[in-house]
């Protein structure tokens, strides 16, 4: 008898704690999206290669046009270790003059104007390697390029930039620092 009373009490307590069928559980608010810029890029770099690339180009397409805030050459977390080392060596060799990297390789430009990302097609060749074929318009000129991507630690990074009709960015930098 005592065991029956305990069982009934436990069931009643559990029923009181359970939501009724009529109760509606509201979903939690989604976190606010970060505005275009480095924090958004770093966050997207941990999500996936396409999200990373879209966050990169969102900076240029932001209202009023924009560019990535420059960091010291060779210390930009959007590039992988090897590309950063090449960029740093090129800047050191230039010794205050304009080095091989005289424009922003992500937008293939020195300035932006009326920038629009038209397409991103990501092909992942493994868990830590991908390529993003990108088409965008800057100042009325349609440009195509491919970003080679690698995953270093938890983040996707740019390892090379390929522009049709030109040597790869890594080839240009290697030729300059050799």
């Amino acid at each position: 008898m005592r065991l029956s009373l305990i069982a009934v009490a436990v069931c009643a307590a559990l029923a009181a704690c359970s939501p009724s069928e009529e109760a509606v559980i509201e979903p939690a608010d989604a976190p606010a999206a970060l505005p275009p810029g480095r924090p958004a890029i770093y966050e997207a770099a941990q999500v996936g290669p396409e999200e990373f690339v879209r966050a990169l180009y969102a900076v240029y397409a932001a209202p009023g046009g924009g560019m990535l805030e420059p960091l010291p050459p060779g210390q930009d977390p959007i590039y992988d270790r090897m590309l950063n080392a090449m960029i740093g060596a090129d800047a050191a060799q230039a010794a205050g003059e304009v080095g091989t990297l005289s424009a922003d390789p992500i937008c293939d430009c020195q300035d932006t104007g009326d920038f629009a990302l038209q397409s991103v097609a990501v092909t992942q060749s493994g868990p830590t390697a991908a390529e993003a074929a990108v088409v965008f318009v800057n100042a009325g000129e349609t440009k195509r390029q491919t970003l080679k991507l690698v995953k270093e630690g938890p983040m996707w990074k740019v390892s090379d930039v390929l522009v049709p009709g030109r040597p790869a960015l890594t080839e240009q930098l290697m030729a300059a620092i050799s």
Side-chain angles (χ1 to χ4, degrees), residues 5-177:
L5 287 174
I6 292 173
V8 169
V10 168
C11 287
L14 288 175
C17 293
S18 300
S20 69
E21 289 180 30
E22 297 171 14
V24 177
I25 299 173
E26 294 293 325
D29 290 336
L34 294 171
R38 287 192 180 277
I41 292 169
Y42 302 152
E43 185 176 291
Q46 295 181 51
V47 176
E50 183 168 346
E51 293 83 357
F52 170 58
V53 171
R54 289 187 180 281
L56 282 173
Y57 287 96
V59 172
Y60 305 100
M67 301 277 287
L68 281 174
E69 312 86 48
L71 296 178
Q75 298 179 27
D76 196 330
I78 68 167
Y79 301 118
D80 75 342
R81 288 183 290 262
M82 185 63 73
L83 186 52
N84 259 317
M86 289 181 191
I87 291 169
D90 179 56
Q93 188 172 343
E97 299 296 318
V98 176
T100 301
L101 192 58
S102 62
D104 184 330
I106 303 300
C107 69
D108 191 28
C109 66
Q110 291 180 341
D111 297 306
T112 59
D114 235 359
F115 192 97
L117 180 62
Q118 291 191 321
S119 67
V120 175
V122 174
T123 304
Q124 201 162 337
S125 56
T128 61
E131 287 190 0
V134 182
V135 180
F136 57 91
V137 175
N138 184 25
E141 183 182 353
T142 300
K143 296 187 176 192
R144 299 173 188 283
Q145 59 186 30
T146 300
L147 302 181
K148 293 187 117 191
L149 308 170
V150 296
K151 190 172 184 184
E152 285 183 349
M155 296 177 65
W156 286 94
K157 299 183 177 202
V158 176
S159 65
D160 207 353
V161 180
L162 311 171
V163 177
R166 290 191 231 157
L169 177 59
T170 54
E171 289 178 33
Q172 295 174 48
L173 291 167
M174 190 57 82
I177 61 178

